[in-house]
Amino acid sequence: MAHMSHMLQQPSGSTPSNVGSSSSRTMSLMEKQKYIEDYDFPYCDESNKYEKVAKIGQGTFGEVFKAREKNGNKKFVAMKKVLMDNEKEGFPITALREIRILQLLKHENVVNLIEICRTKATATNGYRSTFYLVFDFCEHDLAGLLSNMNVKFSLGEIKKVMQQLLNGLYYIHSNKILHRDMKAANVLITKHGILKLADFGLARAFSIPKNESKNRYTNRVVTLWYRPPELLLGDRNYGPPVDMWGAGCIMAEMWTRSPIMQGNTEQQQLTFISQLCGSFTPDVWPGVEELELYKSIELPKNQKRRVKERLRPYVKDQTGCDLLDKLLTLDPKKRIDADTALNHDFFWTDPMPSDLSKMLSQHLQSMFEYLAQPRRSNQMRNYHQQLTTMNQKPQDNSMIDRVW
Ligand SMILES: Nc1ncnc2c1ncn2[C@@H]1O[C@H](COP(=O)(O)OP(=O)(O)OP(=O)(O)O)[C@@H](O)[C@H]1O
Ligand SMILES: [Mg+2]
């Protein structure tokens, strides 16, 4: 760990891409290999110190494996492969950003990056190493747990999950980092019931713009189902509230067991949001009319806000409904922040947040979204249709299918 910040530094003139260029042209193959082995990436161990056990994830940016340390204390790790396919040369900037952010963030509720590893550069791989981000292993992800109906969370356990999730968000936001990809699959839970925010592949540092200036961050972030209304309307001057919206979607999912708004397109996602949270008007959200897509997108009119009404049949707990209502607030300026959410009555009334380890000890198999095939099975859907309470008469039939 002491060398983390130097890990990707190489001795001058020894980048993988320039091996074979002028300075090394006169080397024999043997010499070249020796040169790479001896001098390349001196702070970056070889990945064969771990042995792969199973594939546990297939993300947009590469595969994730469960692996085990061969020596030492033989602990389990997760190895996330750095996808180099689109790189002509050098280390991908997106992975560098993820690593820099993970190096900064050290907290009980944030996944711990142990080190970066590489395969040996040999003639068979064209002297190109594969790199892995190596993390402490967590037994489950929340999407995997929620899609297994045998896993039942009590109200106290749901509170514990949300309290840890908000603790993690409070910590990263205090460190001026936006996660930008909140969703159940990116929330890991150890067998001891400790929650870790994971997947900082889309994360970035943020600043509060001074004077009249505005940030111009990329708008195309966050998985559609968890994307907040401001991003869907083209906002580029956003901040921590984007993650708080995701926290609200995840919180509701703790009871509904599947994502609450499963739009197929941005337009449909906005429609679902206004059917749940009410129409977007400058009345409830001053300034919404200035967002780039406000005028060009067709938005449902005269929709009433129904967050509490629609979630109460699932959530039942009144303080829980109130916190959800505050997280799923349209106006990002009015949306509750992590600090205030942690002080909400939900966490300070009986039943108090309770440890998850006892419940999890009944489930010895790891549960990951990737392994839960098919992800949201028909069995799940039937279950949700049963749960969709009689008193709801959705105007649009597609709602039954795609919302809960
Ligand atoms: N430390 C870990 N312990 C256990 N499982 C992990 C760990 N890190 C990641 N995973 C599993 O691998 C999956 C993919 O990892 P991650 O989200 O970091 O990659 P990604 O390629 O960015 O994914 P995506 O693009 O699908 O969001 C996670 O959803 C989780 O199931
Ligand atoms: Mg992910």
Side-chain angles (χ1 to χ4, degrees):
M1 252 342 261
H3 294 309
M4 275 293 270
S5 57
H6 308 289
M7 205 144 55
L8 293 170
Q9 287 177 10
Q10 304 143 21
S12 56
S14 67
T15 59
S17 51
N18 73 7
V19 173
S21 70
S22 57
S23 63
S24 55
R25 204 164 281 148
T26 50
M27 282 183 187
S28 72
L29 205 63
M30 284 278 286
E31 281 169 337
K32 196 152 90 174
Q33 180 151 14
K34 176 107 189 60
Y35 174 87
I36 292 169
E37 280 170 17
D38 286 355
Y39 299 109
D40 260 6
F41 313 113
Y43 303 110
C44 188
D45 269 353
E46 274 179 33
S47 56
N48 65 10
K49 72 192 253 193
Y50 300 103
E51 54 190 342
K52 286 180 184 166
V53 178
K55 182 166 164 176
I56 52 174
Q58 172 69 71
T60 336
F61 304 107
E63 299 161 301
V64 181
F65 298 91
K66 177 180 183 178
R68 185 176 204 160
E69 212 178 23
K70 286 182 186 160
N71 300 316
N73 59 12
K74 298 202 183 281
K75 71 172 177 196
F76 287 110
V77 296
M79 299 176 76
K80 180 169 168 177
K81 195 169 174 175
V82 175
L83 201 71
M84 300 278 233
D85 284 2
N86 303 324
E87 303 297 320
K88 287 199 186 69
E89 57 180 274
F91 198 82
I93 187 81
T94 46
L96 271 179
R97 195 185 207 179
E98 182 173 358
I99 293 164
R100 296 295 301 165
I101 289 173
L102 286 162
Q103 285 175 336
L104 169 79
L105 300 174
K106 293 294 160 200
H107 186 268
E108 161 148 31
N109 299 124
V110 174
V111 70
N112 180 47
L113 178 68
I114 303 169
E115 61 178 341
I116 314 295
C117 273
R118 59 173 172 103
T119 55
K120 207 181 259 185
T122 61
T124 38
N125 59 31
Y127 297 102
R128 279 171 182 275
S129 292
T130 302
F131 291 86
Y132 293 92
L133 276 59
V134 184
F135 298 95
D136 284 335
F137 181 72
C138 303
E139 282 73 13
H140 313 284
D141 71 37
L142 191 55
L145 287 172
L146 291 174
S147 59
N148 184 335
M149 286 308 163
N150 298 321
V151 178
K152 298 194 171 72
F153 292 93
S154 68
L155 181 55
E157 288 160 354
I158 292 180
K159 290 186 185 187
K160 189 74 175 183
V161 168
M162 285 312 297
Q163 192 176 47
Q164 296 185 79
L165 186 141
L166 291 166
N167 256 325
L169 283 180
Y170 174 71
Y171 172 78
I172 71 165
H173 292 164
S174 308
N175 280 283
K176 298 272 171 287
I177 299 291
L178 301 176
H179 185 281
R180 304 199 300 180
D181 199 12
M182 290 298 289
K183 60 175 175 181
N186 288 341
V187 173
L188 307 177
I189 299 193
T190 70
K191 64 176 176 200
H192 304 297
I194 308 298
L195 176 148
K196 315 267 178 188
L197 297 180
D199 195 355
F200 286 77
L202 280 178
R204 68 158 294 149
F206 70 91
S207 60
I208 315 248
K210 292 199 184 77
N211 314 321
E212 295 294 282
S213 65
K214 284 185 173 171
N215 290 322
R216 287 184 64 74
Y217 300 150
T218 173
N219 179 259
R220 296 196 62 84
V221 285
V222 189
T223 308
L224 186 58
W225 298 345
Y226 298 83
R227 204 177 294 164
E230 66 271 27
L231 287 180
L232 290 162
L233 291 178
D235 193 1
R236 298 184 62 181
N237 184 35
Y238 55 82
V242 298
D243 293 335
M244 299 312 295
W245 180 270
C249 297
I250 294 171
M251 179 171 168
E253 210 173 320
M254 292 301 301
W255 286 278
T256 63
R257 308 288 296 220
S258 68
I260 59 167
M261 291 177 282
Q262 307 182 21
N264 287 325
T265 60
E266 295 174 14
Q267 169 73 62
Q268 195 182 34
Q269 193 65 28
L270 279 165
T271 304
F272 286 158
I273 292 175
S274 45
Q275 283 166 345
L276 181 66
C277 303
S279 294
F280 305 179
T281 64
D283 251 8
V284 297
W285 180 355
V288 64
E289 67 282 6
E290 272 142 46
L291 293 178
E292 209 171 304
L293 301 174
Y294 179 73
K295 292 204 173 68
S296 53
I297 279 189
E298 189 76 26
L299 293 165
K301 302 230 162 49
N302 304 319
Q303 291 288 330
K304 218 179 94 211
R305 187 170 172 84
R306 297 192 182 90
V307 178
K308 284 187 178 168
E309 179 191 325
R310 300 247 334 259
L311 289 169
R312 195 172 295 121
Y314 300 87
V315 179
K316 299 187 180 86
D317 180 76
Q318 198 197 324
T319 59
C321 287
D322 189 71
L323 178 55
L324 272 163
D325 191 50
K326 294 187 156 87
L327 287 165
L328 296 174
T329 295
L330 292 176
D331 182 351
K333 288 206 185 68
K334 294 183 193 150
R335 201 172 300 148
I336 197 168
D337 64 18
D339 189 24
T340 317
L342 283 165
N343 284 317
H344 191 277
D345 280 351
F346 182 59
F347 299 111
W348 303 100
T349 45
D350 278 336
M352 290 295 280
S354 62
D355 187 61
L356 296 160
S357 55
K358 195 155 159 256
M359 181 274 282
L360 290 173
S361 68
Q362 296 161 18
H363 305 280
L364 297 174
Q365 263 208 336
S366 266
M367 281 167 260
F368 294 111
E369 183 187 50
Y370 174 72
L371 301 173
Q373 300 262 350
R375 183 171 170 233
R376 304 293 179 195
S377 65
N378 286 335
Q379 185 198 340
M380 280 278 294
R381 181 148 292 165
N382 293 340
Y383 176 81
H384 289 298
Q385 284 185 1
Q386 274 171 32
L387 275 187
T388 307
T389 44
M390 281 33 110
N391 60 18
Q392 270 182 57
K393 286 194 208 79
Q395 295 144 319
D396 173 359
N397 280 340
S398 66
M399 293 277 291
I400 297 176
D401 248 349
R402 298 199 191 85
V403 184
W404 301 308

